[in-house]
Amino acid sequence: MPPRWLRRVVLAPVLLGAILVVLATMPVWLLAAALAAPFGSGRLRALRVTWMLAVYLLLEVVALVVLFGLWVGSGFGWKLRGPRFQRIHYVLTGRFLRVLYAQARWALGVKVAVVGTHPDVAAPGRPELVFCRHAGPGDSFLLIHALVNWFDREPRIVLKHTLQWDPVIDVMLNRLPNLFLTAGGGDPSQVAALATGLDDNDVLVLFPEGGNFTPTRRERAIQRLRELGLHALAERAGRMRHVLAPRPGGTLAALDAAPEAGVIWVAHTGLDKLLTVGDLWRHLPLDLTITMRWWSVDASQVPVGHEQRVDWLYEWWGRIDAWIDRHGPSS
C-alpha cells in the first residue's frame, strides 16, 4: 500500500479524473445496457450493475468534494479531530451509506432485517463491542449502515488496509478513529488502543475471522491451528461449517481495553452463496433479505482470563455457526 501522502496527492486526483471520465460517458453505457436487455435473460443484469456503478461513482465524487470543503472549513485540517467535525464526518458516512443502501434495495433487491437485541435496546447510553461474522459481498457496509443510520452509533472499525485504495474510504475513515490492518492481522495492541476511551454512543466493530468466509479459507484456518499445536481449537473449528476459525488476538485486546463495554455478537445470512463475482452475476437481481441476528451480553457476563475468553469466543462462534445452519440458504 503506497504511503498516505502519495495516495492523497497523486493517486486520488488520478482516480477522481478517471471517475469523472466514466461518469461523463455513463449515459452511453446505461443506454447500451438498456438496449441489450431484450436479448439477455430478461433480468436486466447489465443495466442493474451499470446503474449501481454510476451511483457509487457519483457518490464518490460528491463525497470527495464535501470532504475537501470540510478540510478547508476546519482550518485546512486544524480542527478535523475536534468533536464537531468528527460528528459531521459520521453524519456524512451515514448519508453515503443510506443512499447506497436505498439504491441497492431498488436496483438489486437487497433488504436487511435485524432480529435479536440490537444496540438501542441492549445498552442505551453504553459503549459496545460488536463482533461479527464476515461472509458475502458488502456485509460490512450493511452492518455499518445499520449502526450509524438505524441505531445512531459512532463506529470505530477494524478494516483491511487494501480498502484504502478507494479514495473516499481512505480520506473519510482515516479522519475518524478507525484502524486499517495489514495482512496477517497486525498487532493486537493497535486494536486495544482503538477500543480505549469509548463513550456512550461508540461501538468498536471487529470481524474476528479476519476475512470473508470461503471453504478454502476455512480449511486453511483449521490447518493453521494444527500447525500452531492448537489441536483442541482445530477440532472445534472443524465442527463449524459456515464460519472461519476466529482469531482471538484482536477480540481479547478489545475486551481488555474496554471492560465497561457490553458485547454484541452478530451473525447474518443471505449472502452465503455469493462467494465469487460469477455467483453475484448469476443471482441478479438478488431479491433477498439479509437477516442479521444480534445477541447482547452484559459486560458483567464477560469471562475473566485468557483461556476462558478464548473458550468463550469459540463457544459463541459455534452458536453463530449453528444459527446459520438453521437459517441459512439450503444447500
Side-chain angles (χ1 to χ4, degrees), residues 9-27:
V9 177
V10 179
L11 295 182
V14 170
L15 288 172
L16 180 59
I19 290 171
L20 290 173
V21 170
V22 173
L23 284 174
T25 60
M26 188 56 70

Side-chain angles (χ1 to χ4, degrees), residues 125-189:
R126 186 185 73 182
E128 295 279 358
L129 305 175
V130 176
F131 302 129
C132 182
R133 80 172 295 216
H134 204 6
D139 63 340
S140 53
F141 283 87
L142 294 170
L143 174 63
I144 302 306
H145 165 66
L147 289 169
V148 174
N149 290 316
W150 297 346
F151 308 135
D152 197 26
R153 292 284 183 150
E154 296 184 348
R156 302 183 182 187
I157 317 164
V158 181
L159 312 101
K160 283 190 172 183
H161 75 292
T162 51
L163 290 172
Q164 294 173 106
W165 283 107
D166 184 303
V168 168
I169 291 177
D170 183 22
V171 176
M172 186 149 55
L173 295 193
N174 271 308
R175 289 183 184 178
L176 294 169
N178 298 298
L179 174 62
F180 289 92
L181 290 180
T182 56
D187 187 346
S189 65

Side-chain angles (χ1 to χ4, degrees), residues 45-295:
R45 288 170 175 161
L47 185 58
R48 294 175 193 276
V49 171
T50 306
W51 175 257
M52 285 304 303
L53 178 63
V55 168
Y56 190 82
L57 294 180
L58 182 60
L59 285 173
E60 287 266 319
V61 172
V62 172
L64 286 172
V65 171
V66 173
L67 287 166
F68 179 76
L70 289 172
W71 180 74
V72 174
S74 68
F76 300 97
W78 179 43
K79 297 182 180 179
L80 274 179
R81 301 294 176 179
R84 179 168 173 264
F85 279 94
Q86 290 284 285
R87 183 58 193 166
I88 290 172
H89 280 77
Y90 276 117
V91 171
L92 179 60
T93 300
R95 290 182 178 176
F96 184 98
L97 293 173
R98 187 182 298 124
V99 173
L100 200 60
Y101 176 64
Q103 292 303 308
R105 286 194 64 172
W106 179 68
L108 305 180
V110 174
K111 294 178 287 185
V112 175
V114 173
V115 296
T117 309
H118 57 68
D120 275 355
V121 177
R126 186 185 73 182
E128 295 279 358
L129 305 175
V130 176
F131 302 129
C132 182
R133 80 172 295 216
H134 204 6
D139 63 340
S140 53
F141 283 87
L142 294 170
L143 174 63
I144 302 306
H145 165 66
L147 289 169
V148 174
N149 290 316
W150 297 346
F151 308 135
D152 197 26
R153 292 284 183 150
E154 296 184 348
R156 302 183 182 187
I157 317 164
V158 181
L159 312 101
K160 283 190 172 183
H161 75 292
T162 51
L163 290 172
Q164 294 173 106
W165 283 107
D166 184 303
V168 168
I169 291 177
D170 183 22
V171 176
M172 186 149 55
L173 295 193
N174 271 308
R175 289 183 184 178
L176 294 169
N178 298 298
L179 174 62
F180 289 92
L181 290 180
T182 56
D187 187 346
S189 65
Q190 296 176 284
V191 178
L194 188 66
T196 300
L198 298 174
D199 64 24
D200 58 357
N201 68 338
D202 285 338
V203 293
L204 178 120
V205 178
L206 178 70
F207 300 89
E209 293 161 304
N212 255 321
F213 173 88
T214 66
T216 300
R217 284 180 177 169
R218 173 180 174 272
E219 292 299 327
R220 195 179 300 152
I222 295 170
Q223 182 59 33
R224 178 174 173 271
L225 289 172
R226 292 195 184 106
E227 291 171 356
L228 292 172
L230 302 173
H231 300 291
L233 293 182
E235 185 177 343
R236 293 176 73 172
R239 294 196 293 267
M240 304 177 198
R241 298 173 51 239
H242 310 286
V243 294
L244 303 180
R247 300 181 177 185
T251 303
L252 271 58
L255 292 171
D256 289 338
E260 76 289 353
V263 175
I264 289 182
W265 305 92
V266 181
H268 62 80
T269 186
L271 295 169
D272 310 71
K273 295 288 187 180
L274 308 179
L275 300 178
T276 67
V277 174
D279 293 335
L280 184 61
W281 177 261
R282 284 191 296 274
H283 284 83
L284 285 174
L286 300 177
D287 290 329
L288 58 83
T289 297
I290 299 164
T291 302
M292 285 189 172
R293 176 66 164 94
W294 308 62
W295 292 270

